[in-house]
Amino acid sequence: MNRTRIKICGLTREEDVDAAVQAGADAIGLVTYERSPRYVTPERARALARRLPAFVTPVCLLVNASADHIARVLDAVPNATLQFHGDETPEACDAPARPYLRAARIGPGFDLLDFAARFPAAQAILLDAFVDGYGGGGKVFDWSLIPADVPAPVVLSGGLSPANVIDGVLRIRPWAVDVSSGVEVGKGIKDALLMRRFCDAVRQADAQLAQQAAAAAHHSEH
């Protein structure tokens, strides 16, 4: 059984990057979208990403960014995975020739299977709530809207916190989970204890899934 990967998004301070790594994050998100309260410049993103040890991935979030802005971001953080969170076409996502996540804004009537099929090159589809504006609204959406057979790895996002992430992992079994406001004391200001509690909760959910799988295997043998 694969363990659920953890991305902590919207970091703006060195000490929060260090605490996220210590808590067990697999990736950290840096928001390079100027209208976001968690915005960091490409230069600031570089300084924060440089603190990451090997095997912790920097993810740079973009919203309908120009090719010039994307080039600046990749110049600053050359090993970044990109996260497209706007109305980008498959061609726009493929153009930088970098690994990328494609955010899907889930609401009634949204066809996730069709959406995922349009972005076959995406490393994963990030599921977030449909809100006005872009970049994630910290709202939980109705998880029953997620079809079981999405043709891509799924990152569960949108209003996750230490309190609800176990339920999210057990119900959706995503490839990864993504948290931002659920581990904050203010916009862009993370709380080291909340980040640790979040990561611990994900591990707890993984342990429950492993127990269920072992029990099912044992049951099928008898």
Side-chain angles (χ1 to χ4, degrees), residues 24 31 37 61 89 91 127 148 150 159 167 177 185 204 221:
V31 179
L61 187 149
T89 62
E91 296 73 27
L127 309 183
V150 182
D167 189 36
V177 289
V185 287
Q204 196 179 325
E221 284 166 14

Side-chain angles (χ1 to χ4, degrees), residues 7-215:
K7 172 173 170 271
I8 298 178
C9 196
L11 289 103
T12 61
R13 305 188 303 173
E14 280 81 356
E15 60 266 38
D16 294 346
V17 171
D18 296 348
V21 169
Q22 283 160 6
D26 298 285
I28 65 142
L30 301 164
V31 179
T32 69
Y33 172 52
E34 289 179 4
R35 291 192 188 162
S36 168
R38 300 173 184 85
Y39 169 68
V40 291
T41 64
E43 294 67 36
R44 186 85 188 105
R46 171 190 284 139
L48 293 169
R50 278 195 174 150
R51 303 183 74 82
L52 296 174
F55 305 122
V56 177
T57 306
V59 179
C60 292
L61 187 149
L62 303 156
V63 176
N64 301 335
S66 66
D68 181 53
H69 179 77
I70 295 172
R72 275 183 61 208
V73 167
L74 285 173
D75 182 55
V77 191
N79 61 329
T81 292
L82 301 178
Q83 178 176 323
F84 293 102
H85 229 288
D87 307 304
E88 295 88 358
T89 62
E91 296 73 27
C93 295
D94 293 342
R98 288 292 308 161
Y100 72 87
L101 311 175
R102 183 66 176 96
R105 302 159 76 203
I106 309 294
F110 180 84
D111 188 335
L112 181 60
L113 297 181
D114 177 64
F115 183 85
R118 286 178 47 222
F119 293 90
Q123 285 205 322
I125 302 294
L126 183 135
L127 309 183
D128 203 353
F130 186 89
V131 292
D132 289 331
Y134 296 101
K139 298 275 187 293
V140 178
F141 64 93
D142 178 0
W143 294 336
S144 72
L145 294 172
I146 303 172
D149 48 351
V150 182
V154 162
V155 181
L156 184 61
S157 182
L160 292 180
S161 70
N164 66 7
V165 72
I166 291 179
D167 189 36
V169 170
L170 294 179
R171 281 182 55 188
I172 307 304
R173 304 196 177 190
W175 173 70
V177 289
D178 178 51
V179 66
S180 182
S181 57
V183 291
E184 285 184 341
V185 287
K187 287 190 189 296
I189 309 298
K190 304 300 187 211
D191 181 281
L193 180 63
L194 285 175
M195 288 193 286
R196 182 166 296 121
R197 280 174 48 200
F198 184 86
C199 292
D200 288 349
V202 175
R203 300 286 165 259
Q204 196 179 325
D206 282 349
Q208 284 184 40
L209 285 175
Q211 280 175 339
Q212 287 172 15

